[in-house]
């Protein structure tokens, strides 16, 4: 066996030396193969000056990047089973797909030869050391020791499992005791492996070990893991070209201002022949529907959590619940909830969308809890006629809610309106319950957002602004908060790091209460109403608006993005209307499919207004 190792050491030395030599000598190429002029035909021995000028040219010396590209293409062709094509590509380019020891290693892994596999690890370590050194890298001597243990462990684990599947319990036990345990590596995993000795049959073993069983599938997965421990100069990482292409596509999607669909991790849904670019016509920039059933200013709108309903509250003292047709993306009036004496300035859906709470403006001391399904009023809550209950937020458990206002009321109540807890002296402007079920965020008259814990009665400062916070909303993951700040506009804060992330430009924000929202797929977008009668939309990473939606004739008080249909947006205005925004009503073939070859599902419903 020492003779074999020595021979392969010489192979590795020759491979790395040839990869570092110049091919301009007309002899060896960067892979160590001799150049073959005239398509492989041997030239006559009596070379003459005339023959030298007969059009025979030396092959171009390939740069490192060009060699890398050829190797990547070769690996991809090999994965497709086009081995003859790979051989021709390597021969003509003068490159080598991988180190000779790596090729032998691959074959022995796939053939399930555990004895030779471990011996060739030593050769691969030497190859890695020489290749890194010949290419100007400093080689760390501790690297091969670490690689040796990890690779040996993976190989022996496969050997152990295959013995168990074959019913060779004694041989498996010998591997466990005499080969795996002495490595003193990943002892926790060794304890788990020892438990597999109790498996009664092969199916039980495969299920408990989450292992594909002896054969090509498990050995291919093993080889993929082993390749991660080897330098790419020796053995390319598995499916490297596909990985690079996926990264390129994902980067282009992230930079696309109008990309608003679910990211497909596969490459089959896109064309690699063109850069990714979504059309603005696919974005909710066009009026699909104008809802005119309210007879006064519309102060608030909010889609339900499942996206099938929209609730709108108005100065006309009514709440209208609309049904959203998911297929046509058209809205129809479902129910009208009446009796809110002061008008409706804020609405909150319960987590299961079964209930809806309505709050009024500053002078309102009551809130209404409606059963959406039946249209019946379940609770009408009022603690004192001097209260001002202008904001509300549901606890994630759906059994409690918090409410408050600027006169110093801050209550936690149950579904029947019974007071559970209260916090004195907090002048609340806006509320939000975090997903932990304990923390309530409240913006107050001190231009800040504080976190309140009703269980241990503690509070802490989270956000501090220099101007009044008129309203705020929080992202689904609870990490980001979107604030509408008086005279300043829309600000994005990181609640975990407690830092201001971004100030969005364009919106006109005075001292009116305007509500903004996160929206689109993965909440990549931000929308806000404005006192200049427009709806502004930004990409979350860009301070400048990517769309300004016109159509309303007075202040836009509130916007709401459908959480299920990323192409549907609603806006409520003092002009008494609610506008439903969506993609362009009619798209040509190129727009509908997208410049990236991805089909974009859009609503082709009839447009009822103009944008």
């Amino acid at each position: 066996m020492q003779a074999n190792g020595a021979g392969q050491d010489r192979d590795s030395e020759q491979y790395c030396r040839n990869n570092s030599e110049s091919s301009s000598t007309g002899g060896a190429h960067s892979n160590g193969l001799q150049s073959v002029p005239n398509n492989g035909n041997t030239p006559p021995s009596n070379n003459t000056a005339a023959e030298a000028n007969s059009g025979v040219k030396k092959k171009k010396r390939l740069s490192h990047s060009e060699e890398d590209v050829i190797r990547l293409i070769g690996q991809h062709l090999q994965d497709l089973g086009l081995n003859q094509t790979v051989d021709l590509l390597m021969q003509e380019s003068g490159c080598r797909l991988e180190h000779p020891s790596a090729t032998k290693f691959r074959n022995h892994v796939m053939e399930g030869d555990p004895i030779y596999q471990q011996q060739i690890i030593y050769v691969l370590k030497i190859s890695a050391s020489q290749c890194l050194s010949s290419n100007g890298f400093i080689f760390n001597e501790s690297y091969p020791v670490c690689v040796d243990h990890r690779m040996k462990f993976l190989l022996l684990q496969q050997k152990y499992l295959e013995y168990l599947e074959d019913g060779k319990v004694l041989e498996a036990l010998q591997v466990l005791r005499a080969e795996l345990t002495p490595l003193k590596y990943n002892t926790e995993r060794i304890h788990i492996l020892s438990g597999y000795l109790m498996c009664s049959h092969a199916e039980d073993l495969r299920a408990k070990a989450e292992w594909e069983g002896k054969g090509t599938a498990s050995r291919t997965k093993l080889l993929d893991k082993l390749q991660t421990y080897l330098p790419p100069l020796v053995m390319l990482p598995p499916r490297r070209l596909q990985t690079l292409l996926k990264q390129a596509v994902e980067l282009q999607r992230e930079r696309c201002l109008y990309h608003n669909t679910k990211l497909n991790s596969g490459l089959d849904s896109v064309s690699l022949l063109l850069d990714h670019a979504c059309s603005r016509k696919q974005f909710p920039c066009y009026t699909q529907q104008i809802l005119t059933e309210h007879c006064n200013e519309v102060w608030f709108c909010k889609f339900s959590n499942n996206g099938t309903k929209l609730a709108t509250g108005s100065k006309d003292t009514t709440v209208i619940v609309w049904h959203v047709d998911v297929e046509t993306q058209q809205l129809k009036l479902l129910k009208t909830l009446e009796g809110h004496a002061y008008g409706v300035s804020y609405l909150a859906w319960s987590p299961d969308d079964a209930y809806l709470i309505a709050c009024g403006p500053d002078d309102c001391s009551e809130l209404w809890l409606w059963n959406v399904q039946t249209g019946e009023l379940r609770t009408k809550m009022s603690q004192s006629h001097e209260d001002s209950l202008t904001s509300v937020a549901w606890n994630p458990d759906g059994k409690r809610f918090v409410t408050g206002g600027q006169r110093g009321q801050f209550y936690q109540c149950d579904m029947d309106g019974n007071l559970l807890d209260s916090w004195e002296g907090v002048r609340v402007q806006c509320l939000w319950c975090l997903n932990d079920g304990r923390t309530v965020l409240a913006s107050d008259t001190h231009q800040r957002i504080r976190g309140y814990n009703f269980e241990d009665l503690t509070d802490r400062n989270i956000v501090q602004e220099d101007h009044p916070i008129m309203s705020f909303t929080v992202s689904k993951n609870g990490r980001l908060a979107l604030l509408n700040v008086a005279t300043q506009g829309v600000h994005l804060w990181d609640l975990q790091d407690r830092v201001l992330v971004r100030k969005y430009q364009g919106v006109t924000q005075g001292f009116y209460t305007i509500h903004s929202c996160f929206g689109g797929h993965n909440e990549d977008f931000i929308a806000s109403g404005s006192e200049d009668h427009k709806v502004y939309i930004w990409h979350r990473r860009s301070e400048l608006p990517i769309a300004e939606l016109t159509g309303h004739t007075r202040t836009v008080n509130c916007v709401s993005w459908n959480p299920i249909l990323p192409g549907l947006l609603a806006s409520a205005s003092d002009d008494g209307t609610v506008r439903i925004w969506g993609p362009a009503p009619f798209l040509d073939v190129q727009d509908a499919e997208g410049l990236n070859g991805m089909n974009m599902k859009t609503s082709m419903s009839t447009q009822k207004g103009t944008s």
Side-chain angles (χ1 to χ4, degrees):
M1 301 306 295
Q2 291 179 351
N4 287 337
Q8 291 183 17
D9 287 348
R10 287 193 293 271
D11 286 345
S12 64
E13 291 173 4
Q14 182 68 18
Y15 171 80
C16 296
R17 183 168 60 250
N18 288 336
N19 267 312
S20 62
E21 288 177 354
S22 169
S23 61
S24 61
T25 60
H29 284 271
S30 58
N31 68 335
L33 297 178
Q34 295 294 323
S35 60
V36 186
N38 283 339
N39 297 322
N41 296 324
T42 305
S45 58
N46 54 342
N47 276 332
T48 62
E51 289 174 334
N53 295 326
S54 63
V56 177
K57 298 180 180 179
K58 289 190 296 183
K59 287 186 178 179
K60 174 188 174 183
R61 178 187 175 185
L62 300 177
S63 65
H64 285 299
S65 61
E66 289 171 333
E67 289 183 5
D68 289 345
V69 170
I70 289 174
R71 292 183 66 200
L72 291 173
I73 294 172
Q75 184 195 46
H76 185 65
L77 293 174
Q78 188 179 67
D79 291 341
L80 296 176
L82 305 176
N83 296 321
Q84 292 183 356
T85 306
V86 175
D87 293 340
L88 290 173
L89 176 61
M90 295 300 120
Q91 180 181 357
E92 186 172 357
S93 65
C95 295
R96 182 172 278 159
L97 186 58
E98 59 187 12
H99 191 278
S101 299
T103 303
K104 293 180 181 178
F105 181 67
R106 179 193 305 277
N107 294 336
H108 284 284
V109 169
M110 295 308 296
E111 292 169 4
D113 186 350
I115 299 177
Y116 197 77
Q117 290 166 3
Q118 294 183 58
Q119 293 172 343
I120 206 167
I121 288 177
Y122 171 76
V123 180
L124 287 171
K125 288 191 299 179
I126 299 300
S127 303
S129 174
Q130 293 169 343
C131 286
L132 289 172
S133 300
S134 65
N135 283 272
F137 297 100
I138 298 176
F139 187 73
N140 185 354
E141 289 299 332
S142 65
Y143 172 76
V145 176
C146 179
V147 167
D148 178 56
H149 281 71
R150 293 177 182 177
M151 295 181 72
K152 278 185 178 179
F153 186 89
L154 290 172
L155 289 165
L156 291 171
Q157 178 181 247
Q158 178 78 11
K159 179 180 178 181
Y160 169 78
L161 292 173
E162 291 192 9
Y163 274 150
L164 281 182
E165 187 181 52
D166 290 339
K168 300 177 180 179
V169 179
L170 293 179
E171 288 85 344
L173 187 59
Q174 179 67 15
V175 171
L176 189 67
R177 291 177 175 176
E179 298 183 74
L180 275 168
T181 303
L183 288 177
K184 296 180 179 180
Y185 175 78
N186 202 350
T187 54
E188 183 179 349
R189 177 62 179 168
I190 290 177
H191 290 314
I192 295 174
L193 291 174
S194 64
Y196 298 153
L197 289 166
M198 306 303 295
C199 293
S200 57
H201 48 79
E203 290 76 12
D204 187 28
L205 171 66
R206 289 193 288 268
K208 290 184 177 179
E210 297 180 354
W211 179 60
E212 294 78 6
K214 181 179 179 180
T216 303
S218 64
R219 291 171 185 172
T220 300
K221 184 176 289 188
L222 169 65
L223 188 62
D224 287 348
K225 293 179 181 178
L226 293 169
Q227 284 181 262
T228 61
Y229 298 115
L230 293 172
L233 291 170
V234 176
M235 198 173 191
L236 285 174
R239 295 171 292 280
R240 181 59 182 163
L241 181 59
Q242 283 186 306
T243 300
L244 291 174
L245 291 175
K246 286 180 182 178
Q247 291 173 355
V249 170
E250 289 172 2
L251 180 61
Q252 289 186 19
R253 284 171 172 169
E254 289 176 2
R255 292 180 176 178
C256 177
L257 291 178
Y258 298 107
H259 189 80
N260 192 26
T261 58
K262 184 177 180 180
L263 295 177
N264 191 329
S265 58
L267 295 175
D268 293 336
S269 61
V270 300
S271 170
L272 301 176
L273 305 181
L274 291 171
D275 287 345
H276 174 92
C278 291
S279 169
R280 188 179 186 274
K281 294 181 180 180
Q282 303 161 350
F283 205 67
C285 297
Y286 303 85
T287 301
Q288 285 192 340
Q289 202 171 353
I290 302 177
L291 310 178
T292 59
E293 278 72 3
H294 284 294
C295 57
N296 210 325
E297 298 173 358
V298 186
W299 288 340
F300 201 81
C301 64
K302 185 69 174 179
F303 280 107
S304 60
N305 299 296
N306 62 13
T308 62
K309 298 179 182 67
L310 174 72
T312 57
S314 171
K315 188 179 179 180
D316 66 7
T317 72
T318 67
V319 172
I320 298 180
V321 180
W322 310 83
H323 172 71
V324 180
D325 190 311
V326 177
E327 294 299 324
T328 64
Q329 298 189 11
Q330 291 288 296
L331 278 70
K332 294 182 180 180
L333 193 150
L334 185 63
K335 284 184 175 64
T336 300
L337 311 176
E338 301 176 329
H340 310 86
Y342 296 90
V344 179
S345 62
Y346 197 85
L347 295 164
W349 289 92
S350 63
D352 61 0
D353 294 328
Y355 296 95
L356 183 68
I357 296 180
C359 296
D362 290 342
D363 296 333
C364 182
S365 61
E366 302 171 329
L367 62 76
W368 295 261
L369 194 158
W370 295 91
N371 184 315
V372 179
Q373 186 68 30
T374 63
E376 297 176 351
L377 180 65
R378 168 163 177 168
T379 304
K380 182 179 179 180
M381 192 197 95
S382 177
Q383 295 294 325
S384 168
H385 293 295
E386 297 180 355
D387 285 354
S388 172
L389 304 181
T390 59
S391 184
V392 67
W394 285 89
N395 189 284
D397 63 13
K399 299 177 181 179
R400 298 169 288 163
F401 60 86
V402 290
T403 183
Q406 291 195 11
R407 295 179 183 174
Q409 297 78 37
F410 189 10
Y411 305 131
Q412 181 172 224
C413 306
D414 62 16
M415 296 281 288
D416 296 320
N418 299 315
L419 186 63
L420 301 177
D421 297 288
S422 65
W423 212 292
E424 298 296 332
V426 182
R427 298 181 181 273
V428 173
Q429 178 70 26
C430 192
L431 293 167
W432 193 275
C433 289
L434 293 183
N435 296 330
D436 61 10
R438 299 186 304 272
T439 306
V440 178
L441 301 182
S443 61
D444 56 30
T445 54
H446 296 284
Q447 305 168 5
R448 65 189 180 184
I449 295 177
R450 292 180 66 81
Y452 297 86
N453 190 316
F454 277 93
E455 293 183 1
D456 56 19
L457 299 180
T458 58
D459 61 313
R460 57 195 174 96
N461 205 49
I462 297 177
V463 170
Q464 182 66 59
E465 283 280 0
D466 296 327
H467 298 81
I469 301 171
M470 307 308 295
S471 68
F472 75 92
T473 187
V474 178
S475 61
K476 290 180 180 178
N477 60 12
R479 178 69 185 264
L480 301 173
L482 196 61
L483 284 60
N484 282 75
V485 184
T487 72
Q488 302 300 302
V490 181
H491 292 180
L492 182 68
W493 279 79
D494 187 315
L495 296 178
Q496 181 173 314
D497 296 336
R498 303 184 190 181
V499 295
L500 177 62
V501 177
R502 195 161 287 111
K503 295 181 179 181
Y504 297 101
Q505 302 178 22
V507 67
T508 301
Q509 169 79 63
F511 288 91
Y512 286 109
T513 299
I514 292 177
H515 300 272
S516 56
C517 70
F518 293 95
H521 182 72
N522 201 34
E523 294 191 323
D524 284 334
F525 302 97
I526 286 168
S528 177
S530 176
E531 293 180 20
D532 62 3
H533 315 165
K534 297 179 182 178
V535 175
Y536 286 84
I537 300 178
W538 300 267
H539 195 286
R540 202 168 66 187
R541 297 191 303 272
S542 175
E543 295 181 358
L544 297 176
I546 62 173
E548 299 178 17
L549 312 186
T550 60
H552 286 294
T553 57
R554 294 182 65 187
T555 296
V556 180
N557 299 306
C558 183
V559 292
S560 179
W561 213 306
N562 191 294
I564 304 301
L565 303 172
L568 203 61
L569 177 71
S571 60
S573 170
D574 280 348
D575 63 11
T577 68
V578 176
R579 283 186 175 245
I580 306 300
W581 307 87
F586 299 103
L587 302 179
D588 55 35
V589 175
Q590 186 181 38
D591 287 326
E593 293 181 353
L595 295 180
N596 63 337
M598 186 188 309
N599 290 325
M600 306 285 285
K601 182 179 180 181
T602 58
S603 172
M604 299 302 179
S605 57
T606 303
Q607 185 176 8
K608 288 194 175 182
T610 60
S611 60

